[in-house]
Amino acid sequence: QGTIHPFRKTHRSLFGKLTQEFTLVASDRRSWRVLLFGALNLLCTGCLLMWCSSTNSMALTAYTYLTIFDLFSLITCLISSWVAMKKPSQVYSFGFERLEVLAVFASTVLVQLGALFILKESVERFMEQPEVHTGRLLVGTFVALFFNLLTLLSVRNKPFAYVSEAASSSWLQEHVADLSRSLCGIIPGLSSVLLPRMNPFVLINLAGAMSLCITYMLIEINNYNAVDTASAAAIALMTFGTMYPMSVYSGKVLLQTTPSHVIGQLDKLLREVSTLDGVLEVRNEHFWTVGFGSLAGSAHVRIRRDANEQLVLAHVTNRLLPLVSTLTVQIFKDDWTRPLLTGALSASPASAPLPSVGPLELDPLTSTPAKPSSPPPEFSFNTPGKNAPPVLLPAPGHHAHRPYALGLGYTAAPPTWGAGTAGDGLRTGGTWQVNNRPNTPFMELIL
């Protein structure tokens, strides 16, 4: 036998890992379209930045930021394709869907930071307005508009499509909604595009292009260079107002909050679960969004002691699973022991003692008394006869001060109480014997 040499782990660099994952994404043919539009986006963005420098137009620079946002959305689309290929692992038990949420949140926040930068530059330019050259202003506007609309309509971006529908409306969408209803009343065919609300990305591109066209005409006709700065500030405000609701929605998903639009459905399902046969209580329920469109949740269900755990679990799962895709349900029984006061008096010579009941032990998980690990000991008198049913002693302090008579004709003073563990016995000659064992601890009745 030769020497066994253990295999050494190959420590791959970060660049090697990124290359491997990129190769995995590129193996899908649907990703090639995204990569193609990404290369065209880089080329278009470079040309627009050069035209912004030659025209000295702040409005065209603000509009170019929408093209940069298209590049972020294409990267998010590639991440979505990679997430669809990866399976949940032992470390990431819920999968990698939250990476999509993080990509959307980062993209929208970066665009908002760019809009704030444009606002800051616009305030500085109002103090000293430079001259704007309109030679390539209109050409750059139409090139950016054409490429942005082509990217939005040709590439299906699942994360941003979901966020744009689930997030609240922006102030630009609210202002355009009335105009859209009036226009759809004249041309009903546009209702599928404009109603119930217009696509926010298409709307911001059209509004920005219209603002640039007005800027071009005012500068060409009246040489109003300050209009370019005002147009840049308007485009920045519209961009910020469009991206802000999406940032809020994706941020709430990252914070594992319950979506507001499913709270009513969850309350209804939980009420139905609490009325199932055998279910006593539903506690510690928590539901949150793992990714876009996937809801996770967990709950503890307390059931009766005689209920079937598997049957109740199946019913609970069938009720919640259509809404909660990743569900964890913990079933535990209502486990408790009823405390009893021990002691017996009988009118017959033979009596049956009551079984001993020890102190209650609380289960730390359910906060309910747990069953004893072994059955309580049984005590019996060594006297013949049938066992009579036990009679519980009344509470101390309620006895009349008169002699008490036992079945054996023994008369004594009123009883007094002493402490000890439960047990029964017969007093003979001033001593107590339990199962022929003297001096056994018990809850004694001194006669």
Side-chain angles (χ1 to χ4, degrees):
Q1 295 181 358
T3 306
I4 298 176
H5 298 282
F7 293 101
R8 297 182 61 184
K9 293 184 178 180
T10 57
H11 297 282
R12 187 171 299 175
S13 62
L14 179 61
F15 180 76
K17 293 180 180 179
L18 291 178
T19 304
Q20 180 184 5
E21 301 301 336
F22 181 78
T23 305
L24 177 63
V25 174
S27 61
D28 189 4
R29 290 186 176 182
R30 292 175 295 182
S31 302
W32 283 101
R33 176 182 291 184
V34 181
L35 294 174
L36 176 61
F37 274 96
L40 293 176
N41 183 278
L42 291 175
L43 181 61
C44 180
T45 303
C47 293
L48 288 174
L49 289 176
M50 288 190 298
W51 291 347
C52 292
S53 179
S54 62
T55 57
N56 200 18
S57 173
M58 183 60 68
L60 186 59
T61 304
Y63 196 64
T64 305
Y65 273 50
L66 296 178
T67 309
I68 299 176
F69 170 74
D70 288 340
L71 179 62
F72 292 155
S73 66
L74 291 173
I75 295 175
T76 304
C77 193
L78 289 177
I79 293 175
S80 178
S81 301
W82 178 79
V83 168
M85 298 177 184
K86 301 292 288 186
K87 295 181 179 180
S89 61
Q90 186 176 3
V91 179
Y92 301 97
S93 57
F94 289 101
F96 299 87
E97 295 182 3
R98 296 185 71 81
L99 193 59
E100 292 180 341
V101 185
L102 184 61
V104 171
F105 180 77
S107 301
T108 53
V109 169
L110 287 176
V111 173
Q112 290 179 75
L113 291 177
L116 293 177
F117 173 76
I118 294 296
L119 286 174
K120 175 248 183 187
E121 292 292 329
S122 300
V123 172
E124 293 180 357
R125 283 171 68 103
F126 271 123
M127 306 301 178
E128 185 179 354
Q129 177 63 46
E131 184 180 359
V132 178
H133 305 285
T134 58
R136 296 176 180 176
L137 182 61
L138 198 60
V139 177
T141 300
F142 284 111
V143 168
L145 177 63
F146 173 76
F147 183 78
N148 290 342
L149 293 180
L150 182 64
T151 304
L152 291 172
L153 299 178
S154 299
V155 178
R156 184 177 179 274
N157 198 326
K158 179 183 175 182
F160 274 101
Y162 182 87
V163 173
S164 61
E165 294 178 359
S168 59
S169 301
S170 63
W171 63 270
L172 186 60
Q173 287 177 301
E174 294 292 339
H175 284 79
V176 177
D178 296 334
L179 181 62
S180 299
R181 295 189 188 94
S182 301
L183 188 60
C184 291
I186 301 174
I187 308 175
L190 296 176
S191 59
S192 59
V193 180
L194 302 179
L195 295 179
R197 57 182 182 177
M198 194 173 178
N199 190 318
F201 306 113
V202 176
L203 181 59
I204 186 62
N205 278 280
L206 293 177
M210 186 179 299
S211 178
L212 280 171
C213 290
I214 295 174
T215 302
Y216 174 80
M217 289 187 296
L218 292 177
I219 293 177
E220 280 290 323
I221 296 173
N222 297 323
N223 200 20
Y224 287 158
N225 292 319
V227 178
D228 179 79
T229 305
S231 178
I235 294 175
L237 288 175
M238 289 187 294
T239 303
F240 188 90
T242 301
M243 301 300 169
Y244 179 74
M246 302 180 191
S247 299
V248 171
Y249 182 83
S250 54
K252 288 182 178 180
V253 174
L254 292 176
L255 292 175
Q256 295 187 352
T257 58
T258 305
S260 57
H261 63 278
V262 299
I263 292 179
Q265 300 177 10
L266 286 174
D267 290 341
K268 180 182 178 182
L269 291 178
L270 290 176
R271 285 195 300 268
E272 293 178 358
V273 167
S274 61
T275 59
L276 293 175
D277 185 24
V279 176
L280 298 178
E281 182 186 9
V282 179
R283 61 173 68 168
N284 299 333
E285 63 275 5
H286 178 52
F287 300 94
W288 69 96
T289 306
V290 177
F292 295 130
S294 60
L295 196 66
S298 63
H300 294 174
V301 180
R302 186 166 64 96
I303 64 175
R304 293 198 312 264
R305 288 180 292 174
D306 58 344
N308 189 346
E309 299 98 327
Q310 297 298 325
L311 185 61
V312 174
L313 180 62
H315 285 304
V316 173
T317 305
N318 289 334
R319 293 295 179 92
L320 295 177
L321 203 58
L323 185 61
V324 185
S325 58
T326 306
L327 181 62
T328 303
V329 179
Q330 183 176 352
I331 302 291
F332 59 94
K333 288 191 174 182
D334 182 42
D335 197 4
W336 57 277
T337 305
R338 185 177 180 182
L340 296 175
L341 180 63
T342 58
L345 290 177
S346 176
S348 61
S351 62
L354 209 60
S356 171
V357 179
L360 298 179
E361 297 180 359
L362 296 180
D363 191 349
L365 177 62
T366 61
S367 298
T368 55
K371 290 182 178 179
S373 57
S374 59
E378 296 183 0
F379 299 100
S380 61
F381 295 108
N382 294 326
T383 53
K386 291 185 178 181
N387 293 332
V391 178
L392 297 181
L393 288 176
H398 295 277
H399 306 319
H401 294 282
R402 58 183 179 84
Y404 282 75
L406 296 177
L408 299 179
Y410 181 81
T411 304
T416 58
W417 293 83
T421 56
D424 294 308
L426 183 64
R427 182 174 181 179
T428 57
T431 60
W432 288 87
Q433 294 181 0
V434 181
N435 290 343
N436 295 325
R437 290 177 297 176
N439 300 326
T440 304
F442 59 97
M443 181 179 289
E444 69 177 319
L445 180 65
I446 301 176
L447 300 177

